[in-house]
Amino acid sequence: MNICKRILPSRLSSYTHALASYKASFSFFHSSPDTSIQVHSEEQEVVIALGSNVGNRLNNFNEALTQMKKSGLQITRHACLYETEPAYVTDQPLFLNSAIRATTKLGPHELLSVLKKIEKEMGRTKGIRYGPRPIDLDILFYGKYKIKSESLTVPHERIFERPFVMAPLVDLLGSDVDHDTVLHWHSFSKKGGIFESWEELGGESLIGKDGLRRVLPVSNRLWDWSKKTSVMGILNLTPDSFSDGGKFECIADAISHVQTMISQGVDIIDLGAQSTRPMASRISVAQELDRLIPVLERILKLPEIEGKLISVDTFYSEVALEAVKKGAHIVNDVSGGIMDSDMLNVMGKLNVPYVVMHMRGDPHTMQNNENVKYDDVCKEVGDELYERVRIAELHGVPAWRIVLDPGIGFSKNTEGNLEILMGLKRIREEIGRKSLGVSRVPLLIGPSRKRFLGEICGRVSGVERDPGTVAAVTCGVLGGANIVRVHNVGDNVDAVKLCDSMLDQVGR
């Protein structure tokens, strides 16, 4: 079901009534720059759209975000990232589009001046209207106000006819309206709110076609993860991992295993040099780097690694930083930034995808009675995952670089793991109550050889749990997972291919 339609029926009448009231009472004024600055001295919540199709588009976005922060905007939410066909003037390169929510004490015309200054400093010239530009920054909403002056119209006059604006705008909202400013934004639509306007354009059915792709920037490309499920192969460089500890401590053995996984069709290699099994002893940053970096350097020299992605499985910010410097493409953090207080600051600057996993406690405490107790595991995992992402966004990690992992086997008992496998769509919906954008990012699951499979199937040894893993992966992919993290790449590549074929058959 389209999550935009999940303003629950029990809430719909009150939402509609409130929206009608706001349509009758929104603030509107004609203004000059001077008067509007005086009127708007209090902090306001704003929505700003970003677009770029000249030069390094992603770097342009990153620079614009940096400059906006320096100018006094506190960015609180990021939409997903979209690659779009140009509108109006079609003979030009593809655009990247997104949007942010932020708070500011700048008046509307002060804010406009700041954005125009950033555009100019980044090389934008007047040029032709709707033509190519290194950066385009438009104020979509400013607080609860409608503004009409010679230089500024808010809401932006053509929001509701443009899918490349509406898609990221909807991402910034939740299916639950979080406060009355958002109700004002809904009231500006001529339809029954922003969601209805989006549906009128085509809604989620537009994504992936008609020149509107939702993408995640990784390595040197924009990854449309909706096209196929990706297989992440596990390489444990540890002596004490639960399934294959000690098997790949020798660099030659590790490289041989990577080559085998590549020949079997792996998409991502996930290197872990620190065990996170229950009760695992923690090693130091230096020890982890000593295990990790020599293998990473050797892998990156393999000719067959071309086109594959390298992920580093670590909760240490120093390890993440060094691994990315050496060439890793993704950081996979089982703690979602909890086990190293500097991780989110580092991730805010690295500009690589960040896998945020759900876990309570740490490997020593995650399976205690308190941490595996849930009243509603899908709801609580969704809520707690969103809270980690919310904090990450405040540290500068945009939603377009987030991958979610519900943490199968971490702080869950057998029943909880099964509920998660069967409830991935529900987890997305729970996150979508707060942020539709975050609910739409790639979802990773890692059931491979986990203890709950052994309990159910009567398999004591991890390597005996591969058939159960294939079944769990199949369930997860059909339930909405985009990436599966596994030990046995060959069998799971086949399972994923079958699942993808079935999903393609029904139009995903």
Side-chain angles (χ1 to χ4, degrees), residues 198-455:
W198 174 229
E199 289 301 312
E200 185 81 8
L201 288 176
E204 278 294 292
S205 68
L206 296 177
I207 308 300
K209 56 187 178 183
D210 297 328
L212 188 63
R213 295 194 308 142
R214 193 176 283 136
V215 294
L216 182 143
V218 60
S219 186
N220 58 355
R221 65 182 188 264
L222 296 174
W223 175 25
D224 183 348
W225 66 89
S226 69
K227 297 300 184 184
K228 67 180 286 289
T229 305
S230 296
V231 175
M232 174 185 277
I234 299 168
L235 178 60
N236 283 321
L237 306 173
T238 58
D240 55 344
S241 290
F242 77 94
S243 173
D244 52 5
K247 194 173 180 181
F248 306 114
E249 286 186 278
C250 169
I251 292 179
D253 290 339
I255 297 303
S256 177
H257 185 56
V258 169
Q259 291 173 316
T260 298
M261 289 194 287
I262 292 172
S263 71
Q264 293 172 334
V266 77
D267 300 294
I268 307 167
I269 309 287
D270 191 44
L271 281 67
Q274 170 124 230
S275 177
T276 52
R277 63 174 174 79
M279 304 306 296
S281 298
R282 186 185 301 194
I283 64 172
S284 69
V285 169
Q287 288 174 300
E288 189 172 331
L289 286 171
D290 284 345
R291 291 177 182 175
L292 178 73
I293 297 303
V295 177
L296 173 61
E297 290 177 334
R298 284 283 299 276
I299 291 172
L300 289 169
K301 292 177 181 177
L302 293 172
E304 58 266 49
I305 203 68
E306 182 70 27
K308 306 299 180 182
L309 299 174
I310 306 297
S311 167
V312 57
D313 180 1
T314 185
F315 50 75
Y316 282 138
S317 60
E318 292 174 72
V319 174
L321 181 60
E322 187 63 24
V324 172
K325 284 182 180 178
K326 293 292 185 180
H329 307 115
I330 300 168
V331 173
N332 181 9
D333 180 3
V334 297
S335 79
I338 292 175
M339 293 177 66
D340 183 337
S341 61
D342 203 35
M343 178 62 95
L344 297 182
N345 287 322
V346 168
M347 290 309 306
K349 299 170 184 174
L350 281 180
N351 294 327
V352 299
Y354 182 44
V355 182
V356 178
M357 196 192 81
H358 176 269
M359 177 175 66
R360 292 174 172 177
D362 59 36
H364 274 265
T365 63
M366 66 184 183
Q367 294 303 117
N368 66 27
N369 289 336
E370 181 180 354
N371 282 332
V372 300
K373 183 179 179 181
Y374 299 85
D375 294 323
D376 183 335
V377 66
C378 289
K379 181 182 188 311
E380 290 169 63
V381 166
D383 288 346
E384 292 167 26
L385 261 180
Y386 174 71
E387 183 61 19
R388 296 312 309 161
V389 174
R390 186 187 69 81
I391 295 170
E393 285 195 277
L394 293 175
H395 283 79
V397 185
W400 65 69
R401 288 202 281 109
I402 294 288
V403 176
L404 296 177
D405 181 349
I408 292 172
F410 290 80
S411 312
K412 287 93 182 173
N413 57 23
T414 295
E415 292 76 15
N417 288 319
L418 293 175
E419 285 187 51
I420 288 171
L421 269 177
M422 297 291 288
L424 298 178
K425 290 181 180 177
R426 171 102 189 283
I427 291 172
R428 285 194 189 272
E429 289 166 1
E430 292 298 334
I431 294 171
R433 291 178 182 275
K434 300 177 178 68
S435 170
L436 288 163
V438 175
S439 76
R440 291 165 171 161
V441 305
L443 188 65
L444 182 155
I445 60 166
S448 187
R449 298 180 179 175
K450 292 287 173 67
R451 180 181 298 177
F452 79 102
L453 297 175
E455 291 177 356

